Amino acid sequence: MVLKAFGGLLIAFGTMWALQGLGLLNWPAGTFMLASSEWALYGALTAVGGAFVIWGASRLGRPRD
């Protein structure tokens, strides 16, 4: 459950960073991440990493076939 929550946070923050990097989310106004393709990439990678954490956490403890 802790890993799933951590994965969810990674997805949320990664999505926010990607949207800021793409210039679609202009909040907070003074952040250095606005309209920066570098942060769009970092955010996308973080969100994908969070999805893998959730996927891995859901497979823990399941019997193998």
Side-chain angles (χ1 to χ4, degrees):
M1 184 146 105
V2 173
L3 282 175
K4 288 182 182 181
F6 179 66
L9 284 174
L10 285 175
I11 291 172
F13 279 105
T15 301
M16 184 177 73
W17 293 345
L19 290 175
Q20 286 176 334
L22 293 171
L24 299 174
L25 178 64
N26 294 323
W27 176 85
T31 186
F32 58 92
M33 293 188 255
L34 294 179
S36 171
S37 60
E38 181 179 325
W39 279 100
L41 175 64
Y42 294 158
L45 292 175
T46 302
V48 169
F52 275 113
V53 169
I54 291 174
W55 175 76
S58 69
R59 295 186 48 85
L60 285 176
R62 291 172 68 187
R64 294 183 181 220
D65 293 330

